[in-house]
Amino acid sequence: MPVTIDVFLTGVPKVDAYYDIMAGQVVNGVALVRASDFVETSTISIGVKGTETVQWTGAKDELNIVDIKFPIWSPMQGERGLQVGDYSFNFNFTLPPNAPPSFEYQRGEEEAHIRYVLSASVHLSMGVKEAVTLYLIVRRFVPIPAIHSMAMRPAKHQCNENYSSCCGSAGSIEATFTLPSVGICPGSEMKGSVLVDNRSSKDVLRCMLTLERSITLRTRGGHSKHTLYPLWDMAFDDVDTKRRVEGDNSMLLMNFPRTVVQSFDSQLLVSSHRLVFRVCCCFIAC
């Protein structure tokens, strides 16, 4: 082929073979074209495409969520193509700020992904196209007002369970789990507190905190499938295990896992997370 093309994004971090960009961010790049002979060409163009796919037994849907195309070179009047030489063409593009983040999921029969690619193409007059493709990881900004709102809003969950035994009522256990903020960033430190009031004939063995991922796959035809599964468990054994009337307020300090995928809601996918607090007891036979 008498022409080759390569493309690079400037000022963008690269992880392995993927460029890491933000939705709504202006991305700058350069396309390098080398013509070893005269090339009849109609245009040189850039394309950015995002696709969203969900699939499980009996259902499948695919949707184009981003489709950006624009020329970076066209022949002037009277020109028929590129002369021999090396060429450099600067360009920039912006993904929609509401574009969903990149996403990969496969579990059993369920599969879903959101993928983005950038292609640079030389369209030759003979109908042949020389192209190169870059793979993108797209992330989405969380607006500052939303961060402030979440940082100022604490989370508190309380449950009260009554238990019974073969000899009658075993009493009740009341547990309260509190976080200072509902907004948590992956890899950040998280401080919480737990208050357990044990008014039963059971001993509290430990308190468990579980991070769960909630994923909903859906099609435009109205089919949907929901999955909920644990990502991470942490046990707190410092809670007093004996039966008691007064509560023991313990401070919890933990590091939120770094591998959590950003929560989002797109046309075919909903991905979110929840923290589940459990009090684990053993039964005391009477």
Side-chain angles (χ1 to χ4, degrees), residues 7-247:
V7 64
F8 302 92
L9 301 184
T10 57
V12 176
K14 190 175 182 182
V15 181
D16 297 327
Y18 294 84
Y19 282 93
D20 197 333
I21 68 174
M22 303 294 294
Q25 172 189 8
V26 177
V27 180
N28 297 297
V30 58
L32 304 178
V33 178
R34 169 167 290 183
S36 57
D37 200 351
F38 173 76
V39 180
E40 282 197 41
T41 178
S42 58
T43 185
I44 300 174
S45 66
I46 296 293
V48 182
K49 190 171 185 179
T51 57
E52 182 176 13
T53 303
V54 297
Q55 179 178 349
W56 68 93
T57 302
K60 182 178 181 179
D61 202 353
E62 182 171 313
L63 183 66
N64 288 335
I65 51 178
V66 172
D67 194 3
I68 301 171
K69 296 178 183 177
F70 55 92
I72 57 175
W73 178 87
S74 296
M76 301 288 289
Q77 186 174 4
E79 293 182 331
R80 294 187 299 115
L82 288 175
Q83 301 294 331
V84 176
D86 293 328
Y87 300 86
S88 175
F89 303 102
N90 296 317
F91 64 88
N92 63 69
F93 67 92
T94 304
L95 287 179
N98 61 345
S102 298
F103 183 76
E104 295 287 337
Y105 168 73
Q106 185 168 8
R107 193 166 185 255
E109 62 169 4
E110 303 164 10
E111 184 177 350
H113 62 252
I114 298 175
R115 294 172 180 167
Y116 295 87
V117 296
L118 179 148
S119 60
S121 307
V122 179
H123 303 268
L124 304 178
S125 58
M126 64 188 73
V128 180
K129 183 173 70 172
E130 183 69 12
V132 63
T133 299
L134 298 182
Y135 297 95
L136 309 176
I137 295 176
V138 174
R139 308 183 193 277
R140 189 159 62 181
F141 282 113
V142 178
I144 290 181
I147 295 174
H148 179 74
S149 173
M150 290 186 293
M152 298 298 292
R153 186 155 45 98
K156 184 176 181 179
H157 178 70
Q158 186 176 65
C159 60
N160 192 315
E161 293 290 340
N162 291 304
Y163 299 92
S164 60
S165 69
C166 59
C167 300
S169 176
S172 65
I173 295 178
E174 182 179 279
T176 303
F177 174 67
T178 304
L179 282 176
S181 170
V182 297
I184 302 170
C185 295
S188 64
E189 190 178 69
M190 185 168 58
K191 294 181 180 180
S193 65
V194 56
L195 176 64
V196 178
D197 286 336
N198 188 0
R199 301 183 179 92
S200 73
S201 57
K202 298 182 178 183
D203 284 344
V204 174
L205 297 180
R206 65 179 59 88
C207 293
M208 294 290 298
L209 185 64
T210 302
L211 175 65
E212 294 183 340
R213 171 182 281 177
S214 173
I215 294 178
T216 301
L217 315 180
R218 55 196 181 191
T219 69
R220 287 170 289 178
H223 301 285
S224 64
K225 188 173 182 63
H226 182 71
T227 300
L228 186 68
Y229 63 96
L231 291 176
W232 170 74
D233 284 304
M234 180 171 281
F236 305 101
D237 297 314
D238 60 341
V239 177
D240 188 358
T241 61
K242 299 302 180 184
R243 299 184 296 276
R244 61 191 183 280
V245 176
E246 298 293 331

